[in-house]
Amino acid sequence: MERKWRKKYEVEQVLKNGRHIIIFCNGTRKEISADGKTTRVTFFNGDVKQTTSDQTVIYFYADAQTTHTTYPDGLEVLQFPNNQMEKHYPDGKKEITFPDQTIKYLFTDGHEECVFPDGTIIRLQVDGNKIIEFNNGQREIHTSSYKRREYPDGTVKTVYLNGQQETKYSSGRIRIKDKEGHIIMDSKPQLF
């Protein structure tokens, strides 16, 4: 092992295998592989930055116990101590996986999508409308003027902003209730 003084503020060690270790006066330590393609810097505050031979950069924030990995293609992955993981794609899309395995997608056009472990999917559109797809086949649509529930059998129930409810059954029957729940119309299909 050879020791050199590069400056009066740091020490460089060259090991027999060709690896370099540089120690700075503030306690930061830099290790460089023999081929120069891999580096690891351990900072005085406990943070660690590693650059691999394929130019992937892995940064560990000691205080936050968080790892931030940047891949050569621009993908960034953040891993938090609570097992939350975020992926930031080069095109601007983001994917967040929460500890309960709920996955939230944030798209560049402003719309969002959440996929829950039970299979429920919530889509929030740019215009503020929300579409919820349940794992039982039901679907809900929320807009600024109504909320609508669609059932697998074709029945559709709509509740309007003024409280009025309209239910269209798959049989063709339509029932309308006022905001107090009183039936104001009930049409039963005619059988031929």
Side-chain angles (χ1 to χ4, degrees):
M1 177 171 78
E2 178 184 332
R3 265 187 181 195
K4 292 187 210 172
W5 287 94
R6 294 186 67 192
K7 297 179 191 171
K8 68 179 194 172
Y9 302 111
E10 61 188 54
V11 174
E12 179 177 355
Q13 299 173 335
V14 180
L15 306 179
K16 288 181 181 178
N17 63 7
R19 210 175 68 172
H20 291 246
I21 299 174
I22 302 167
I23 302 170
F24 296 88
C25 65
N26 67 357
T28 297
R29 175 185 175 106
K30 182 175 186 178
E31 300 175 38
I32 305 168
S33 65
D35 61 8
K37 294 181 179 179
T38 303
T39 61
R40 178 182 173 98
V41 179
T42 305
F43 295 95
F44 64 92
N45 64 356
D47 288 3
V48 178
K49 178 182 178 183
Q50 184 173 344
T51 305
T52 64
S53 59
D54 70 353
Q55 296 306 298
T56 298
V57 177
I58 304 162
Y59 197 103
F60 176 73
Y61 296 91
D63 282 347
Q65 293 293 296
T66 300
T67 302
H68 181 177
T69 305
T70 304
Y71 294 92
D73 64 1
L75 172 66
E76 295 183 47
V77 177
L78 292 105
Q79 295 175 296
F80 298 93
N82 66 351
N83 291 326
Q84 178 173 317
M85 183 169 42
E86 293 185 13
K87 293 180 182 178
H88 298 211
Y89 294 91
D91 66 1
K93 182 176 88 172
K94 294 181 183 177
E95 176 184 322
I96 303 166
T97 303
F98 295 95
D100 70 354
Q101 297 309 300
T102 297
I103 302 173
K104 184 174 193 174
Y105 300 95
L106 304 169
F107 297 92
T108 57
D109 66 0
H111 81 277
E112 300 176 10
E113 184 174 301
C114 279
V115 180
F116 294 89
D118 69 356
T120 301
I121 300 171
I122 297 178
R123 291 183 177 89
L124 184 60
Q125 299 176 338
V126 179
D127 61 7
N129 292 344
K130 185 189 312 185
I131 300 170
I132 306 168
E133 295 177 6
F134 297 95
N135 62 2
N136 62 4
Q138 294 181 19
R139 183 176 147 158
E140 230 175 72
I141 300 168
H142 297 202
T143 71
S144 59
S145 53
Y146 65 84
K147 290 182 182 178
R148 175 176 292 147
R149 171 83 59 132
E150 300 170 352
Y151 297 87
D153 70 355
T155 300
V156 177
K157 182 175 183 177
T158 305
V159 178
Y160 294 95
L161 199 55
N162 64 6
Q164 182 175 311
Q165 300 175 30
E166 175 184 275
T167 305
K168 295 180 180 179
Y169 296 91
S170 56
S171 64
R173 176 182 174 194
I174 299 173
R175 183 173 59 193
I176 299 175
K177 295 181 181 180
D178 65 15
K179 65 181 179 181
E180 283 85 34
H182 302 112
I183 297 173
I184 56 176
M185 186 189 114
D186 194 349
S187 72
K188 296 183 181 174
Q190 296 179 5
L191 299 174
F192 297 99

PDB file of all heavy atoms in Angstrom, residues 59-94:
ATOM      1  N   TYR A  59     -27.533   6.836  -4.319  1.00  0.00           N
ATOM      2  CA  TYR A  59     -27.231   7.763  -3.224  1.00  0.00           C
ATOM      3  C   TYR A  59     -28.082   7.372  -2.025  1.00  0.00           C
ATOM      4  O   TYR A  59     -29.303   7.309  -2.123  1.00  0.00           O
ATOM      5  CB  TYR A  59     -27.509   9.218  -3.632  1.00  0.00           C
ATOM      6  CG  TYR A  59     -26.849  10.222  -2.721  1.00  0.00           C
ATOM      7  CD1 TYR A  59     -25.695  10.883  -3.111  1.00  0.00           C
ATOM      8  CD2 TYR A  59     -27.360  10.484  -1.458  1.00  0.00           C
ATOM      9  CE1 TYR A  59     -25.069  11.797  -2.268  1.00  0.00           C
ATOM     10  CE2 TYR A  59     -26.751  11.385  -0.604  1.00  0.00           C
ATOM     11  CZ  TYR A  59     -25.602  12.043  -1.011  1.00  0.00           C
ATOM     12  OH  TYR A  59     -24.982  12.936  -0.174  1.00  0.00           O
ATOM     13  N   PHE A  60     -27.433   7.123  -0.905  1.00  0.00           N
ATOM     14  CA  PHE A  60     -28.124   6.771   0.337  1.00  0.00           C
ATOM     15  C   PHE A  60     -28.046   7.959   1.285  1.00  0.00           C
ATOM     16  O   PHE A  60     -26.961   8.421   1.631  1.00  0.00           O
ATOM     17  CB  PHE A  60     -27.479   5.538   0.984  1.00  0.00           C
ATOM     18  CG  PHE A  60     -28.079   5.187   2.310  1.00  0.00           C
ATOM     19  CD1 PHE A  60     -29.343   4.621   2.395  1.00  0.00           C
ATOM     20  CD2 PHE A  60     -27.387   5.450   3.488  1.00  0.00           C
ATOM     21  CE1 PHE A  60     -29.902   4.311   3.628  1.00  0.00           C
ATOM     22  CE2 PHE A  60     -27.940   5.141   4.725  1.00  0.00           C
ATOM     23  CZ  PHE A  60     -29.208   4.569   4.791  1.00  0.00           C
ATOM     24  N   TYR A  61     -29.220   8.483   1.680  1.00  0.00           N
ATOM     25  CA  TYR A  61     -29.300   9.583   2.634  1.00  0.00           C
ATOM     26  C   TYR A  61     -29.404   8.980   4.031  1.00  0.00           C
ATOM     27  O   TYR A  61     -30.417   8.378   4.379  1.00  0.00           O
ATOM     28  CB  TYR A  61     -30.517  10.463   2.348  1.00  0.00           C
ATOM     29  CG  TYR A  61     -30.458  11.151   1.006  1.00  0.00           C
ATOM     30  CD1 TYR A  61     -31.003  10.546  -0.126  1.00  0.00           C
ATOM     31  CD2 TYR A  61     -29.861  12.398   0.872  1.00  0.00           C
ATOM     32  CE1 TYR A  61     -30.950  11.176  -1.356  1.00  0.00           C
ATOM     33  CE2 TYR A  61     -29.806  13.035  -0.363  1.00  0.00           C
ATOM     34  CZ  TYR A  61     -30.356  12.409  -1.476  1.00  0.00           C
ATOM     35  OH  TYR A  61     -30.299  13.032  -2.694  1.00  0.00           O
ATOM     36  N   ALA A  62     -28.352   9.133   4.819  1.00  0.00           N
ATOM     37  CA  ALA A  62     -28.274   8.473   6.120  1.00  0.00           C
ATOM     38  C   ALA A  62     -29.358   8.962   7.086  1.00  0.00           C
ATOM     39  O   ALA A  62     -30.036   8.153   7.717  1.00  0.00           O
ATOM     40  CB  ALA A  62     -26.895   8.678   6.736  1.00  0.00           C
ATOM     41  N   ASP A  63     -29.535  10.276   7.208  1.00  0.00           N
ATOM     42  CA  ASP A  63     -30.521  10.797   8.156  1.00  0.00           C
ATOM     43  C   ASP A  63     -31.933  10.334   7.819  1.00  0.00           C
ATOM     44  O   ASP A  63     -32.699   9.966   8.699  1.00  0.00           O
ATOM     45  CB  ASP A  63     -30.485  12.327   8.209  1.00  0.00           C
ATOM     46  CG  ASP A  63     -29.326  12.866   9.040  1.00  0.00           C
ATOM     47  OD1 ASP A  63     -28.699  12.070   9.769  1.00  0.00           O
ATOM     48  OD2 ASP A  63     -29.057  14.078   8.955  1.00  0.00           O
ATOM     49  N   ALA A  64     -32.292  10.345   6.546  1.00  0.00           N
ATOM     50  CA  ALA A  64     -33.647   9.975   6.121  1.00  0.00           C
ATOM     51  C   ALA A  64     -33.789   8.478   5.874  1.00  0.00           C
ATOM     52  O   ALA A  64     -34.894   7.999   5.627  1.00  0.00           O
ATOM     53  CB  ALA A  64     -34.018  10.743   4.858  1.00  0.00           C
ATOM     54  N   GLN A  65     -32.665   7.743   5.891  1.00  0.00           N
ATOM     55  CA  GLN A  65     -32.674   6.300   5.609  1.00  0.00           C
ATOM     56  C   GLN A  65     -33.352   6.025   4.260  1.00  0.00           C
ATOM     57  O   GLN A  65     -34.154   5.104   4.123  1.00  0.00           O
ATOM     58  CB  GLN A  65     -33.365   5.534   6.734  1.00  0.00           C
ATOM     59  CG  GLN A  65     -32.625   5.568   8.055  1.00  0.00           C
ATOM     60  CD  GLN A  65     -31.311   4.820   7.989  1.00  0.00           C
ATOM     61  OE1 GLN A  65     -31.286   3.608   7.791  1.00  0.00           O
ATOM     62  NE2 GLN A  65     -30.203   5.524   8.139  1.00  0.00           N
ATOM     63  N   THR A  66     -33.044   6.861   3.275  1.00  0.00           N
ATOM     64  CA  THR A  66     -33.664   6.806   1.947  1.00  0.00           C
ATOM     65  C   THR A  66     -32.596   6.599   0.894  1.00  0.00           C
ATOM     66  O   THR A  66     -31.527   7.193   0.955  1.00  0.00           O
ATOM     67  CB  THR A  66     -34.432   8.131   1.678  1.00  0.00           C
ATOM     68  OG1 THR A  66     -35.439   8.274   2.686  1.00  0.00           O
ATOM     69  CG2 THR A  66     -35.074   8.145   0.315  1.00  0.00           C
ATOM     70  N   THR A  67     -32.921   5.745  -0.098  1.00  0.00           N
ATOM     71  CA  THR A  67     -32.004   5.482  -1.209  1.00  0.00           C
ATOM     72  C   THR A  67     -32.590   6.059  -2.478  1.00  0.00           C
ATOM     73  O   THR A  67     -33.754   5.849  -2.795  1.00  0.00           O
ATOM     74  CB  THR A  67     -31.779   3.965  -1.382  1.00  0.00           C
ATOM     75  OG1 THR A  67     -31.272   3.439  -0.152  1.00  0.00           O
ATOM     76  CG2 THR A  67     -30.796   3.679  -2.495  1.00  0.00           C
ATOM     77  N   HIS A  68     -31.767   6.801  -3.229  1.00  0.00           N
ATOM     78  CA  HIS A  68     -32.163   7.416  -4.494  1.00  0.00           C
ATOM     79  C   HIS A  68     -31.231   6.863  -5.571  1.00  0.00           C
ATOM     80  O   HIS A  68     -30.035   7.127  -5.550  1.00  0.00           O
ATOM     81  CB  HIS A  68     -32.026   8.937  -4.385  1.00  0.00           C
ATOM     82  CG  HIS A  68     -32.422   9.672  -5.608  1.00  0.00           C
ATOM     83  ND1 HIS A  68     -32.410  11.046  -5.651  1.00  0.00           N
ATOM     84  CD2 HIS A  68     -32.868   9.284  -6.821  1.00  0.00           C
ATOM     85  CE1 HIS A  68     -32.804  11.452  -6.853  1.00  0.00           C
ATOM     86  NE2 HIS A  68     -33.076  10.388  -7.569  1.00  0.00           N
ATOM     87  N   THR A  69     -31.814   6.079  -6.475  1.00  0.00           N
ATOM     88  CA  THR A  69     -31.026   5.458  -7.544  1.00  0.00           C
ATOM     89  C   THR A  69     -31.382   6.110  -8.868  1.00  0.00           C
ATOM     90  O   THR A  69     -32.555   6.225  -9.215  1.00  0.00           O
ATOM     91  CB  THR A  69     -31.302   3.945  -7.618  1.00  0.00           C
ATOM     92  OG1 THR A  69     -31.049   3.368  -6.328  1.00  0.00           O
ATOM     93  CG2 THR A  69     -30.418   3.272  -8.647  1.00  0.00           C
ATOM     94  N   THR A  70     -30.368   6.542  -9.610  1.00  0.00           N
ATOM     95  CA  THR A  70     -30.568   7.135 -10.932  1.00  0.00           C
ATOM     96  C   THR A  70     -29.886   6.229 -11.955  1.00  0.00           C
ATOM     97  O   THR A  70     -28.678   5.991 -11.873  1.00  0.00           O
ATOM     98  CB  THR A  70     -29.982   8.555 -11.011  1.00  0.00           C
ATOM     99  OG1 THR A  70     -30.563   9.349  -9.962  1.00  0.00           O
ATOM    100  CG2 THR A  70     -30.278   9.199 -12.352  1.00  0.00           C
ATOM    101  N   TYR A  71     -30.685   5.709 -12.902  1.00  0.00           N
ATOM    102  CA  TYR A  71     -30.173   4.804 -13.918  1.00  0.00           C
ATOM    103  C   TYR A  71     -29.738   5.593 -15.159  1.00  0.00           C
ATOM    104  O   TYR A  71     -30.216   6.709 -15.393  1.00  0.00           O
ATOM    105  CB  TYR A  71     -31.239   3.762 -14.288  1.00  0.00           C
ATOM    106  CG  TYR A  71     -31.549   2.846 -13.128  1.00  0.00           C
ATOM    107  CD1 TYR A  71     -32.580   3.138 -12.242  1.00  0.00           C
ATOM    108  CD2 TYR A  71     -30.788   1.711 -12.891  1.00  0.00           C
ATOM    109  CE1 TYR A  71     -32.851   2.301 -11.156  1.00  0.00           C
ATOM    110  CE2 TYR A  71     -31.046   0.872 -11.816  1.00  0.00           C
ATOM    111  CZ  TYR A  71     -32.087   1.180 -10.952  1.00  0.00           C
ATOM    112  OH  TYR A  71     -32.341   0.363  -9.886  1.00  0.00           O
ATOM    113  N   PRO A  72     -28.867   5.015 -15.979  1.00  0.00           N
ATOM    114  CA  PRO A  72     -28.367   5.717 -17.163  1.00  0.00           C
ATOM    115  C   PRO A  72     -29.477   6.165 -18.123  1.00  0.00           C
ATOM    116  O   PRO A  72     -29.327   7.176 -18.805  1.00  0.00           O
ATOM    117  CB  PRO A  72     -27.451   4.692 -17.843  1.00  0.00           C
ATOM    118  CG  PRO A  72     -27.036   3.776 -16.745  1.00  0.00           C
ATOM    119  CD  PRO A  72     -28.202   3.726 -15.798  1.00  0.00           C
ATOM    120  N   ASP A  73     -30.608   5.445 -18.155  1.00  0.00           N
ATOM    121  CA  ASP A  73     -31.696   5.825 -19.061  1.00  0.00           C
ATOM    122  C   ASP A  73     -32.553   6.957 -18.503  1.00  0.00           C
ATOM    123  O   ASP A  73     -33.511   7.383 -19.131  1.00  0.00           O
ATOM    124  CB  ASP A  73     -32.578   4.621 -19.399  1.00  0.00           C
ATOM    125  CG  ASP A  73     -33.315   4.054 -18.189  1.00  0.00           C
ATOM    126  OD1 ASP A  73     -33.173   4.597 -17.067  1.00  0.00           O
ATOM    127  OD2 ASP A  73     -34.045   3.061 -18.373  1.00  0.00           O
ATOM    128  N   GLY A  74     -32.217   7.459 -17.290  1.00  0.00           N
ATOM    129  CA  GLY A  74     -32.936   8.575 -16.695  1.00  0.00           C
ATOM    130  C   GLY A  74     -33.959   8.184 -15.655  1.00  0.00           C
ATOM    131  O   GLY A  74     -34.493   9.049 -14.953  1.00  0.00           O
ATOM    132  N   LEU A  75     -34.269   6.902 -15.513  1.00  0.00           N
ATOM    133  CA  LEU A  75     -35.207   6.447 -14.489  1.00  0.00           C
ATOM    134  C   LEU A  75     -34.607   6.718 -13.115  1.00  0.00           C
ATOM    135  O   LEU A  75     -33.429   6.429 -12.873  1.00  0.00           O
ATOM    136  CB  LEU A  75     -35.489   4.946 -14.638  1.00  0.00           C
ATOM    137  CG  LEU A  75     -36.306   4.290 -13.520  1.00  0.00           C
ATOM    138  CD1 LEU A  75     -37.725   4.837 -13.503  1.00  0.00           C
ATOM    139  CD2 LEU A  75     -36.311   2.778 -13.685  1.00  0.00           C
ATOM    140  N   GLU A  76     -35.428   7.296 -12.215  1.00  0.00           N
ATOM    141  CA  GLU A  76     -34.998   7.525 -10.838  1.00  0.00           C
ATOM    142  C   GLU A  76     -35.920   6.734  -9.916  1.00  0.00           C
ATOM    143  O   GLU A  76     -37.129   6.764 -10.074  1.00  0.00           O
ATOM    144  CB  GLU A  76     -35.075   9.008 -10.482  1.00  0.00           C
ATOM    145  CG  GLU A  76     -34.105   9.863 -11.276  1.00  0.00           C
ATOM    146  CD  GLU A  76     -34.150  11.317 -10.856  1.00  0.00           C
ATOM    147  OE1 GLU A  76     -34.116  11.591  -9.629  1.00  0.00           O
ATOM    148  OE2 GLU A  76     -34.220  12.171 -11.748  1.00  0.00           O
ATOM    149  N   VAL A  77     -35.329   6.032  -8.950  1.00  0.00           N
ATOM    150  CA  VAL A  77     -36.099   5.233  -7.998  1.00  0.00           C
ATOM    151  C   VAL A  77     -35.714   5.674  -6.594  1.00  0.00           C
ATOM    152  O   VAL A  77     -34.533   5.704  -6.248  1.00  0.00           O
ATOM    153  CB  VAL A  77     -35.828   3.719  -8.185  1.00  0.00           C
ATOM    154  CG1 VAL A  77     -36.585   2.911  -7.137  1.00  0.00           C
ATOM    155  CG2 VAL A  77     -36.180   3.269  -9.592  1.00  0.00           C
ATOM    156  N   LEU A  78     -36.735   6.020  -5.803  1.00  0.00           N
ATOM    157  CA  LEU A  78     -36.519   6.397  -4.408  1.00  0.00           C
ATOM    158  C   LEU A  78     -37.147   5.338  -3.519  1.00  0.00           C
ATOM    159  O   LEU A  78     -38.299   4.962  -3.738  1.00  0.00           O
ATOM    160  CB  LEU A  78     -37.140   7.759  -4.109  1.00  0.00           C
ATOM    161  CG  LEU A  78     -36.446   8.917  -4.805  1.00  0.00           C
ATOM    162  CD1 LEU A  78     -37.282   9.404  -5.953  1.00  0.00           C
ATOM    163  CD2 LEU A  78     -36.174  10.022  -3.823  1.00  0.00           C
ATOM    164  N   GLN A  79     -36.386   4.857  -2.544  1.00  0.00           N
ATOM    165  CA  GLN A  79     -36.876   3.858  -1.601  1.00  0.00           C
ATOM    166  C   GLN A  79     -36.789   4.448  -0.203  1.00  0.00           C
ATOM    167  O   GLN A  79     -35.718   4.854   0.238  1.00  0.00           O
ATOM    168  CB  GLN A  79     -36.060   2.579  -1.708  1.00  0.00           C
ATOM    169  CG  GLN A  79     -36.240   1.913  -3.058  1.00  0.00           C
ATOM    170  CD  GLN A  79     -35.337   0.708  -3.227  1.00  0.00           C
ATOM    171  OE1 GLN A  79     -34.124   0.852  -3.235  1.00  0.00           O
ATOM    172  NE2 GLN A  79     -35.944  -0.455  -3.372  1.00  0.00           N
ATOM    173  N   PHE A  80     -37.956   4.486   0.477  1.00  0.00           N
ATOM    174  CA  PHE A  80     -38.050   5.099   1.794  1.00  0.00           C
ATOM    175  C   PHE A  80     -38.051   4.025   2.879  1.00  0.00           C
ATOM    176  O   PHE A  80     -38.378   2.868   2.609  1.00  0.00           O
ATOM    177  CB  PHE A  80     -39.320   5.952   1.874  1.00  0.00           C
ATOM    178  CG  PHE A  80     -39.328   7.083   0.877  1.00  0.00           C
ATOM    179  CD1 PHE A  80     -39.913   6.925  -0.374  1.00  0.00           C
ATOM    180  CD2 PHE A  80     -38.739   8.296   1.185  1.00  0.00           C
ATOM    181  CE1 PHE A  80     -39.910   7.952  -1.300  1.00  0.00           C
ATOM    182  CE2 PHE A  80     -38.733   9.332   0.260  1.00  0.00           C
ATOM    183  CZ  PHE A  80     -39.320   9.162  -0.983  1.00  0.00           C
ATOM    184  N   PRO A  81     -37.720   4.393   4.115  1.00  0.00           N
ATOM    185  CA  PRO A  81     -37.627   3.385   5.182  1.00  0.00           C
ATOM    186  C   PRO A  81     -38.956   2.703   5.517  1.00  0.00           C
ATOM    187  O   PRO A  81     -38.968   1.615   6.056  1.00  0.00           O
ATOM    188  CB  PRO A  81     -37.081   4.161   6.376  1.00  0.00           C
ATOM    189  CG  PRO A  81     -37.359   5.586   6.083  1.00  0.00           C
ATOM    190  CD  PRO A  81     -37.356   5.723   4.593  1.00  0.00           C
ATOM    191  N   ASN A  82     -40.086   3.325   5.163  1.00  0.00           N
ATOM    192  CA  ASN A  82     -41.395   2.709   5.444  1.00  0.00           C
ATOM    193  C   ASN A  82     -41.835   1.768   4.320  1.00  0.00           C
ATOM    194  O   ASN A  82     -42.979   1.356   4.272  1.00  0.00           O
ATOM    195  CB  ASN A  82     -42.460   3.785   5.669  1.00  0.00           C
ATOM    196  CG  ASN A  82     -42.756   4.596   4.422  1.00  0.00           C
ATOM    197  OD1 ASN A  82     -42.082   4.493   3.402  1.00  0.00           O
ATOM    198  ND2 ASN A  82     -43.779   5.426   4.500  1.00  0.00           N
ATOM    199  N   ASN A  83     -40.920   1.453   3.405  1.00  0.00           N
ATOM    200  CA  ASN A  83     -41.148   0.591   2.237  1.00  0.00           C
ATOM    201  C   ASN A  83     -41.930   1.260   1.118  1.00  0.00           C
ATOM    202  O   ASN A  83     -42.366   0.592   0.184  1.00  0.00           O
ATOM    203  CB  ASN A  83     -41.815  -0.735   2.625  1.00  0.00           C
ATOM    204  CG  ASN A  83     -40.861  -1.601   3.412  1.00  0.00           C
ATOM    205  OD1 ASN A  83     -39.657  -1.574   3.164  1.00  0.00           O
ATOM    206  ND2 ASN A  83     -41.379  -2.341   4.368  1.00  0.00           N
ATOM    207  N   GLN A  84     -42.130   2.567   1.185  1.00  0.00           N
ATOM    208  CA  GLN A  84     -42.704   3.287   0.043  1.00  0.00           C
ATOM    209  C   GLN A  84     -41.621   3.401  -1.017  1.00  0.00           C
ATOM    210  O   GLN A  84     -40.454   3.605  -0.705  1.00  0.00           O
ATOM    211  CB  GLN A  84     -43.164   4.684   0.452  1.00  0.00           C
ATOM    212  CG  GLN A  84     -43.720   5.494  -0.712  1.00  0.00           C
ATOM    213  CD  GLN A  84     -44.319   6.812  -0.254  1.00  0.00           C
ATOM    214  OE1 GLN A  84     -45.018   6.860   0.737  1.00  0.00           O
ATOM    215  NE2 GLN A  84     -44.034   7.876  -0.980  1.00  0.00           N
ATOM    216  N   MET A  85     -42.036   3.239  -2.284  1.00  0.00           N
ATOM    217  CA  MET A  85     -41.085   3.354  -3.387  1.00  0.00           C
ATOM    218  C   MET A  85     -41.677   4.264  -4.454  1.00  0.00           C
ATOM    219  O   MET A  85     -42.857   4.160  -4.775  1.00  0.00           O
ATOM    220  CB  MET A  85     -40.767   1.986  -3.989  1.00  0.00           C
ATOM    221  CG  MET A  85     -39.729   2.092  -5.098  1.00  0.00           C
ATOM    222  SD  MET A  85     -39.030   0.532  -5.701  1.00  0.00           S
ATOM    223  CE  MET A  85     -40.397  -0.545  -5.807  1.00  0.00           C
ATOM    224  N   GLU A  86     -40.860   5.157  -4.986  1.00  0.00           N
ATOM    225  CA  GLU A  86     -41.287   6.040  -6.060  1.00  0.00           C
ATOM    226  C   GLU A  86     -40.383   5.826  -7.265  1.00  0.00           C
ATOM    227  O   GLU A  86     -39.172   5.717  -7.115  1.00  0.00           O
ATOM    228  CB  GLU A  86     -41.199   7.510  -5.639  1.00  0.00           C
ATOM    229  CG  GLU A  86     -42.159   7.902  -4.569  1.00  0.00           C
ATOM    230  CD  GLU A  86     -42.129   9.388  -4.253  1.00  0.00           C
ATOM    231  OE1 GLU A  86     -41.536  10.174  -5.039  1.00  0.00           O
ATOM    232  OE2 GLU A  86     -42.702   9.772  -3.226  1.00  0.00           O
ATOM    233  N   LYS A  87     -41.029   5.782  -8.449  1.00  0.00           N
ATOM    234  CA  LYS A  87     -40.283   5.723  -9.701  1.00  0.00           C
ATOM    235  C   LYS A  87     -40.614   6.983 -10.490  1.00  0.00           C
ATOM    236  O   LYS A  87     -41.780   7.279 -10.721  1.00  0.00           O
ATOM    237  CB  LYS A  87     -40.667   4.483 -10.510  1.00  0.00           C
ATOM    238  CG  LYS A  87     -40.243   3.190  -9.869  1.00  0.00           C
ATOM    239  CD  LYS A  87     -40.652   2.001 -10.726  1.00  0.00           C
ATOM    240  CE  LYS A  87     -40.261   0.698 -10.065  1.00  0.00           C
ATOM    241  NZ  LYS A  87     -40.687  -0.463 -10.867  1.00  0.00           N
ATOM    242  N   HIS A  88     -39.595   7.708 -10.892  1.00  0.00           N
ATOM    243  CA  HIS A  88     -39.752   8.911 -11.700  1.00  0.00           C
ATOM    244  C   HIS A  88     -39.157   8.586 -13.079  1.00  0.00           C
ATOM    245  O   HIS A  88     -37.948   8.403 -13.202  1.00  0.00           O
ATOM    246  CB  HIS A  88     -39.022  10.088 -11.077  1.00  0.00           C
ATOM    247  CG  HIS A  88     -39.539  10.462  -9.718  1.00  0.00           C
ATOM    248  ND1 HIS A  88     -39.521  11.748  -9.253  1.00  0.00           N
ATOM    249  CD2 HIS A  88     -40.103   9.731  -8.726  1.00  0.00           C
ATOM    250  CE1 HIS A  88     -40.036  11.788  -8.029  1.00  0.00           C
ATOM    251  NE2 HIS A  88     -40.382  10.568  -7.695  1.00  0.00           N
ATOM    252  N   TYR A  89     -40.027   8.510 -14.075  1.00  0.00           N
ATOM    253  CA  TYR A  89     -39.599   8.127 -15.421  1.00  0.00           C
ATOM    254  C   TYR A  89     -39.093   9.338 -16.193  1.00  0.00           C
ATOM    255  O   TYR A  89     -39.508  10.472 -15.930  1.00  0.00           O
ATOM    256  CB  TYR A  89     -40.754   7.463 -16.164  1.00  0.00           C
ATOM    257  CG  TYR A  89     -41.150   6.136 -15.550  1.00  0.00           C
ATOM    258  CD1 TYR A  89     -42.122   6.061 -14.559  1.00  0.00           C
ATOM    259  CD2 TYR A  89     -40.519   4.957 -15.937  1.00  0.00           C
ATOM    260  CE1 TYR A  89     -42.475   4.845 -13.980  1.00  0.00           C
ATOM    261  CE2 TYR A  89     -40.857   3.741 -15.365  1.00  0.00           C
ATOM    262  CZ  TYR A  89     -41.832   3.697 -14.383  1.00  0.00           C
ATOM    263  OH  TYR A  89     -42.173   2.499 -13.810  1.00  0.00           O
ATOM    264  N   PRO A  90     -38.217   9.118 -17.166  1.00  0.00           N
ATOM    265  CA  PRO A  90     -37.663  10.226 -17.946  1.00  0.00           C
ATOM    266  C   PRO A  90     -38.730  11.065 -18.657  1.00  0.00           C
ATOM    267  O   PRO A  90     -38.545  12.253 -18.863  1.00  0.00           O
ATOM    268  CB  PRO A  90     -36.752   9.542 -18.970  1.00  0.00           C
ATOM    269  CG  PRO A  90     -36.443   8.214 -18.388  1.00  0.00           C
ATOM    270  CD  PRO A  90     -37.622   7.838 -17.542  1.00  0.00           C
ATOM    271  N   ASP A  91     -39.871  10.452 -19.004  1.00  0.00           N
ATOM    272  CA  ASP A  91     -40.930  11.189 -19.702  1.00  0.00           C
ATOM    273  C   ASP A  91     -41.787  12.027 -18.755  1.00  0.00           C
ATOM    274  O   ASP A  91     -42.726  12.693 -19.185  1.00  0.00           O
ATOM    275  CB  ASP A  91     -41.814  10.244 -20.515  1.00  0.00           C
ATOM    276  CG  ASP A  91     -42.614   9.268 -19.658  1.00  0.00           C
ATOM    277  OD1 ASP A  91     -42.514   9.311 -18.404  1.00  0.00           O
ATOM    278  OD2 ASP A  91     -43.350   8.450 -20.239  1.00  0.00           O
ATOM    279  N   GLY A  92     -41.489  11.992 -17.433  1.00  0.00           N
ATOM    280  CA  GLY A  92     -42.217  12.792 -16.460  1.00  0.00           C
ATOM    281  C   GLY A  92     -43.257  12.019 -15.673  1.00  0.00           C
ATOM    282  O   GLY A  92     -43.775  12.513 -14.672  1.00  0.00           O
ATOM    283  N   LYS A  93     -43.603  10.814 -16.096  1.00  0.00           N
ATOM    284  CA  LYS A  93     -44.577  10.001 -15.367  1.00  0.00           C
ATOM    285  C   LYS A  93     -43.960   9.566 -14.037  1.00  0.00           C
ATOM    286  O   LYS A  93     -42.757   9.343 -13.957  1.00  0.00           O
ATOM    287  CB  LYS A  93     -44.964   8.777 -16.206  1.00  0.00           C
ATOM    288  CG  LYS A  93     -46.017   7.899 -15.541  1.00  0.00           C
ATOM    289  CD  LYS A  93     -46.437   6.751 -16.449  1.00  0.00           C
ATOM    290  CE  LYS A  93     -45.506   5.586 -16.234  1.00  0.00           C
ATOM    291  NZ  LYS A  93     -45.916   4.367 -16.902  1.00  0.00           N
ATOM    292  N   LYS A  94     -44.825   9.453 -12.996  1.00  0.00           N
ATOM    293  CA  LYS A  94     -44.363   8.986 -11.689  1.00  0.00           C
ATOM    294  C   LYS A  94     -45.228   7.822 -11.247  1.00  0.00           C
ATOM    295  O   LYS A  94     -46.427   7.778 -11.519  1.00  0.00           O
ATOM    296  CB  LYS A  94     -44.442  10.101 -10.648  1.00  0.00           C
ATOM    297  CG  LYS A  94     -43.492  11.243 -10.928  1.00  0.00           C
ATOM    298  CD  LYS A  94     -43.588  12.314  -9.876  1.00  0.00           C
ATOM    299  CE  LYS A  94     -42.663  13.475 -10.229  1.00  0.00           C
ATOM    300  NZ  LYS A  94     -42.783  14.569  -9.275  1.00  0.00           N
TER     301      LYS A  94
END
